[in-house]
Amino acid sequence: LAGNLQANGRLNQQPLQNLEAGFVLEGRKLTLSQADVQMAGLAASVQGTLTDSGMDVAFTASLANPRLLPVPAGATFASLAAEGSARGPWKSPQVNLAATVKKLSVQGVSLESANLNAALAGWPPQTGTLKLSGTQLKTPAGAFTRLSLNAGGSNGHWQFQAAATSPKEPKFELAGTADLAARPLALSIARLNWHSQALTLKNKAPFQVHLLPGWEISTVTFQVDGGAVTVAGVGRGPEVSGRLEVRNLNAALLAPLGFPATGKLNGHLDLAGSPPNPVINGQLALSSGRIKNIPIQVFTTTLNYQAAQMKVSGSLEAGPQRSRLVWQGSVPVQISFAPAKFALGHDGLNLRL
């Protein structure tokens, strides 16, 4: 059976301006001499053969409508161009892909442009290479001039290295290995570095991250300026749990969260709930510093946060006479980790001093 197909109308709830295809069907083998699709913001072309056992196709596409792709809600881009080929069995094809995207934005992260080149075999990819380069990356943590990612794998075991740099600061580096054949997906992070004017961070030893389903981070300690932060966590669906320990941490690093203090911070926090609505229990101690403009020798408190109320019990020593203040009660406060927020409430204060 041979023929030519032409159609218009709607496809996936989007206007289909034109579809033209020349084909030959021989048993279970379909040969496309050329198939062209035009929609609002999309032009694509495909040619090759399809069978019940595999494929041998080449394609090109130009896209300016993010709604035509399964992208996260709120993701936008100005243009996306791609070309490539796919050959081999359906379950383990060999894919070659080259793509360019302009003005990409996803959940507060934007990228002026990015180029991707990949040669992959298998699904999930078991063998191959992948290179990504980008310019003008902007994130809530900082802005970078260049972004790069290089990865190579064989038999499901991959090595990767990513870096984001700017002429002065900040700078970011990530390197490790990934086992794409394992479920959950297993990552071993050998190196994670961040350097900016406000913060220097690096891991003291390799650590493990497991993904899909959910995520899990093994216990890892980071050197943070002159202090140390140890974290571990698990996420399943919207629920998270974890533990955070700090030792001699510069309290001024918490200023972006609205915590107006300087000095050395020590303590631990146990986390549960969800990132926008966490449940927090723990104990913190601040020494040799200030809270706003009040100099202190020692500040200690227990914390129990849930549903915009922080139950506290602690004491403060301040001034040359080491005057002591003791408190117990609850404070209205809004805490969120995604998005990051720390703000005192206006109603519901109940403290005994």
Side-chain angles (χ1 to χ4, degrees):
L1 176 64
N4 293 289
L5 175 67
Q6 186 173 15
N8 54 42
R10 300 187 70 84
L11 178 64
N12 193 26
Q13 300 181 348
Q14 299 292 326
L16 175 61
Q17 296 173 345
N18 189 41
L19 168 63
E20 294 185 4
F23 68 91
V24 176
L25 180 62
E26 301 175 277
R28 296 184 176 182
K29 178 181 179 182
L30 175 63
T31 300
L32 297 173
S33 57
Q34 186 79 21
D36 298 314
V37 178
Q38 290 185 335
M39 301 176 65
L42 170 66
S45 177
V46 181
Q47 61 184 28
T49 60
L50 303 172
T51 68
D52 56 358
S53 61
M55 71 193 88
D56 186 354
V57 298
F59 62 89
T60 62
S62 178
L63 183 66
N65 186 353
R67 292 179 298 175
L68 298 175
L69 292 178
V71 296
T76 62
F77 55 80
S79 65
L80 172 63
E83 62 178 6
S85 63
R87 298 181 174 88
W90 290 99
K91 293 184 178 181
S92 57
Q94 294 184 348
V95 177
N96 289 280
L97 177 65
T100 299
V101 64
K102 301 288 187 181
K103 297 186 182 302
L104 173 66
S105 177
V106 183
Q107 297 180 354
V109 177
S110 65
L111 194 61
E112 181 66 22
S113 66
N115 295 295
L116 172 69
N117 288 277
L120 309 172
W123 187 257
Q126 300 297 299
T127 300
T129 60
L130 184 148
K131 293 184 178 181
L132 172 69
S133 61
T135 61
Q136 303 303 323
L137 172 66
K138 295 181 180 179
T139 76
F144 304 89
T145 305
R146 295 188 178 277
L147 166 71
S148 66
L149 169 65
N150 293 282
S154 178
N155 298 321
H157 298 283
W158 286 71
Q159 293 183 336
F160 61 86
Q161 183 169 357
T165 60
S166 52
K168 293 183 179 180
E169 295 175 341
K171 297 180 180 179
F172 170 79
E173 183 182 13
L174 174 69
T177 62
D179 185 354
L180 300 189
R183 284 297 178 270
L185 176 67
L187 304 179
S188 177
I189 308 301
R191 186 166 61 256
L192 193 162
N193 295 337
W194 172 277
H195 181 77
S196 67
Q197 186 174 7
L199 174 67
T200 298
L201 177 150
K202 64 179 180 180
N203 59 310
K204 297 182 68 173
F207 63 99
Q208 305 297 313
V209 178
H210 294 93
L211 304 170
L212 302 175
W215 58 268
E216 181 176 354
I217 301 175
S218 66
T219 300
V220 54
T221 298
F222 295 96
Q223 291 180 340
V224 183
D225 292 334
V229 176
T230 300
V231 298
V234 177
R236 295 289 183 264
E239 299 298 314
V240 299
S241 63
R243 185 174 177 88
L244 171 70
E245 298 179 8
V246 295
R247 296 187 299 277
N248 297 321
L249 182 69
N250 181 3
L253 295 174
L254 303 182
L257 297 178
F259 187 63
T262 61
K264 296 299 183 180
L265 191 65
N266 290 272
H268 67 87
L269 297 174
D270 293 310
L271 309 177
S274 64
N277 299 289
V279 176
I280 306 172
N281 293 282
Q283 183 174 358
L284 293 176
L286 180 66
S287 60
S288 304
R290 290 176 176 266
I291 297 179
K292 288 192 174 181
N293 295 321
I294 303 174
I296 64 168
Q297 276 77 44
V298 180
F299 168 96
T300 61
T301 187
T302 59
L303 305 173
N304 185 302
Y305 174 81
Q306 187 171 8
Q309 285 289 326
M310 178 76 78
K311 295 181 180 180
V312 295
S313 175
S315 63
L316 167 68
E317 292 184 5
Q321 303 299 320
R322 299 187 70 91
S323 301
R324 194 165 189 264
L325 176 68
V326 179
W327 62 82
Q328 185 174 3
S330 62
V331 179
V333 61
Q334 291 284 341
I335 297 178
S336 171
F337 296 111
K341 181 180 180 181
F342 182 95
L344 293 174
H346 300 290
D347 300 309
L349 178 64
N350 180 17
L351 272 181
R352 290 183 308 218
L353 302 177

